[in-house]
Amino acid sequence: MKIIIKSLKFLIKALLSIVILPFLILIRFFSFFLLIRVGFLHVERIGHLFADLELYLSEKKLGIGPNSIDIFFLSGKPSNSFAIELAKRNLNTINGMGFIIDLNNFLPFSAKHSYKPHIIRTSSRDITGTLKKVNPQLKFSSHENKKGEDFLNCIGLKKDQKFVCFIIRDNQYLNKEFPDKDFSYHSYRDSDISKFYPSFHYLLQEGYAIFRMGKHVSSAVEIDHPLFVDYARSNFKSDFFDIWLMANCEFTVSTGTGLDEVTNAFRKPICYVNYLPLVLFNSYNPKTLTTPKTLLDPITKDPLSLEDIIQNYAELDAYHNKDVLYVENSEKEIIDAIKEIKQKIDSNWYLNEEEMMIRNKFLKILMKWENFHTFHSKNFKNSGNISFTYLKKRKYLFNE
């Protein structure tokens, strides 16, 4: 039966290719008058989908790139149905038929007639600073905003209640969504949620509501408080609320996983904790602070300097080795990171003289990395940073 289904799919693609091939050839002849491009978005991963969608729309708003009509083919299992709805609302889309992209690539002048997402190695990054130049292009309708506000009211929160989203990575999402693939090499990105309990209590005492986010999670958070919502384990979880909450929070606390790209797209602050790799911290959103895990020498067990990290742990392949040693952020370090981003938000992201000196010292070493400008903008004047609280306490990073 499987052979028959595969054969039918191949036959259908072959017949469609015969029909579509003349169209792909014609758009090349008409390109002097009207440029038509075909493109795709990675719909299976929410991080790529949101980052690439918002970057594309922001570039169009700023007039970056050619004046073209672009047709996007959305193939694969969608990571979030509402994200797909936003894509269809803002783009010319066709469901499926992603093979047309491959067909186009076989023809001459394929680069001119293609739109490819902003993927650098394995991540989508705004190294040109596009997002800082324009307001968010993705928007909710008035009906959708009312739906979100009604939801907050329904669970007992006031309309003006400030809330923080926590997205703490474990292995459940990839295991559930991609059961046939082995993603265990991503385990270095996982975090122990028990270390976040003091941070939950701290923010609750400060009057913030908290949403613990996630599509699939390993365990529940046992906190009984009217302002704490273990949304990831709730019955009212939905693809729409996944996006609306991440877009409307006061800030997000993330360990570095796909859903936080929604917060990036809506230009909101993000406090990254337990983040790896350090060299790939989010510098393209100026409203971010990153507190990484501490890497250790596999032999001496001593913390590594920044130069050692650049030399041995700059590339992602190095982290796929199960012998990589690291220490997660302590409970106090996570609270300190949250206190720091709260202070930065309140001060409109002002950096004092000491912080500027630390930042410059850090960048001077980091820029020795040969791939620095592949992943980071050349203009660091207005960018995200490594936590200054973290850097102040780790002089060994600077070989001091």
Side-chain angles (χ1 to χ4, degrees):
M1 180 63 73
K2 289 184 178 179
I3 296 176
I4 295 175
I5 293 174
K6 285 184 178 180
S7 299
L8 284 173
K9 286 183 177 179
F10 178 80
L11 180 60
I12 291 170
K13 284 183 180 181
L15 292 173
L16 285 172
S17 296
I18 294 173
V19 175
I20 293 167
L21 189 61
F23 168 76
L24 293 175
I25 295 172
L26 277 175
I27 65 174
R28 283 154 169 77
F29 284 105
F30 289 128
S31 62
F32 293 104
F33 310 99
L34 177 65
L35 177 60
I36 297 176
R37 301 187 300 180
V38 295
F40 67 95
L41 296 174
H42 287 283
V43 301
E44 293 185 342
R45 304 298 286 271
I46 188 67
H48 286 301
L49 176 55
F50 245 87
D52 296 329
L53 177 57
E54 179 61 26
L55 268 171
Y56 171 82
L57 296 174
S58 296
E59 286 179 341
K60 282 293 185 181
K61 178 68 174 180
L62 293 169
I64 297 173
N67 183 17
S68 61
I69 294 176
D70 300 325
I71 303 170
F72 289 84
F73 296 91
L74 307 181
S75 298
K77 179 183 177 182
S79 53
N80 182 287
S81 60
F82 183 71
I84 296 297
E85 183 178 330
L86 283 176
K88 292 180 177 181
R89 191 184 298 176
N90 289 278
L91 305 175
N92 302 308
T93 64
I94 296 176
N95 288 336
M97 297 202 294
F99 68 91
I100 293 175
I101 303 294
D102 296 326
L103 192 61
N104 181 64
N105 289 337
F106 276 113
L107 295 174
F109 312 109
S110 62
K112 182 178 181 180
H113 294 277
S114 299
Y115 176 83
K116 296 181 179 180
H118 291 262
I119 297 176
I120 302 171
R121 305 285 174 85
T122 60
S123 61
S124 300
R125 299 177 72 89
D126 174 27
I127 64 168
T128 59
T130 299
L131 300 182
K132 292 183 285 190
K133 301 172 186 175
V134 65
N135 291 327
Q137 297 302 294
L138 290 169
K139 295 179 175 63
F140 299 98
S141 67
S142 57
H143 170 73
E144 288 163 348
N145 279 322
K146 186 177 185 305
K147 180 180 177 181
E149 291 165 2
D150 287 346
F151 164 70
L152 296 181
N153 182 63
C154 182
I155 62 174
L157 302 184
K158 297 178 181 178
K159 184 178 180 180
D160 58 350
Q161 172 68 57
K162 291 183 178 180
F163 63 90
V164 177
C165 290
F166 277 73
I167 177 71
I168 303 165
R169 191 186 190 280
D170 59 32
N171 62 6
Q172 287 302 296
Y173 177 79
L174 291 178
N175 288 346
K176 292 277 189 179
E177 295 295 316
F178 305 97
D180 297 329
K181 296 183 180 180
D182 180 11
F183 284 106
S184 60
Y185 61 87
H186 275 290
S187 61
Y188 69 91
R189 298 170 60 198
D190 297 340
S191 294
D192 179 3
I193 195 168
S194 67
K195 293 185 177 180
F196 287 80
Y197 275 63
S199 297
F200 295 149
H201 290 299
Y202 164 72
L203 284 171
L204 291 171
Q205 289 171 2
E206 290 291 305
Y208 290 88
I210 293 175
F211 286 87
R212 185 275 191 106
M213 307 296 291
K215 191 165 187 177
H216 306 293
V217 294
S218 296
S219 58
V221 176
E222 303 296 340
I223 291 181
D224 184 13
H225 192 287
L227 293 181
F228 185 86
V229 183
D230 195 358
Y231 172 83
R233 306 272 294 190
S234 68
N235 294 325
F236 44 74
K237 181 173 61 173
S238 75
D239 282 2
F240 169 75
F241 290 131
D242 285 353
I243 305 303
W244 191 89
L245 290 169
M246 293 292 288
N248 286 277
C249 60
E250 184 74 4
F251 63 92
T252 287
V253 178
S254 174
T255 56
T257 189
L259 191 60
D260 57 39
E261 283 297 342
V262 178
T263 307
N264 269 322
F266 283 88
R267 320 299 197 267
K268 292 296 187 74
I270 301 179
C271 176
Y272 290 99
V273 294
N274 273 340
Y275 186 90
L276 281 178
L278 180 156
V279 298
L280 297 184
F281 72 99
N282 183 340
S283 60
Y284 51 92
N285 180 349
K287 298 178 182 179
T288 62
L289 285 175
T290 300
T291 301
K293 293 178 180 177
T294 297
L295 288 170
L296 305 178
D297 185 286
I299 299 175
T300 67
K301 309 299 189 292
D302 294 328
L304 294 176
S305 69
L306 184 54
E307 288 186 345
D308 288 333
I309 292 171
I310 291 171
Q311 183 175 350
N312 299 296
Y313 295 100
E315 299 299 328
L316 288 173
D317 289 346
Y319 294 87
H320 300 166
N321 181 348
K322 294 182 180 179
D323 294 330
V324 174
L325 293 182
Y326 56 80
V327 178
E328 289 193 15
N329 299 149
S330 67
E331 295 174 350
K332 184 179 184 306
E333 286 171 339
I334 296 172
I335 289 180
D336 285 345
I338 291 171
K339 287 181 178 179
E340 184 177 4
I341 200 166
K342 280 177 74 274
Q343 187 273 326
K344 282 287 178 280
I345 293 170
D346 293 340
S347 69
N348 197 27
W349 296 89
Y350 169 77
L351 301 187
N352 61 37
E353 186 176 344
E354 181 188 16
E355 290 170 338
M356 289 297 293
M357 288 178 60
I358 294 172
R359 179 198 211 192
N360 292 337
K361 187 189 298 185
F362 174 81
L363 287 176
K364 184 177 181 181
I365 298 174
L366 186 60
M367 290 178 74
K368 293 179 182 179
W369 179 32
E370 61 182 358
N371 292 320
F372 177 84
H373 289 306
T374 301
F375 295 93
H376 300 283
S377 170
K378 294 181 179 179
N379 181 10
F380 242 82
K381 185 178 181 180
N382 185 21
S383 65
N385 289 289
I386 297 292
S387 160
F388 297 106
T389 302
Y390 180 87
L391 293 177
K392 287 176 187 178
K393 295 179 179 179
R394 287 166 173 77
K395 292 185 178 181
Y396 59 78
L397 282 171
F398 308 107
N399 290 314
E400 294 179 355

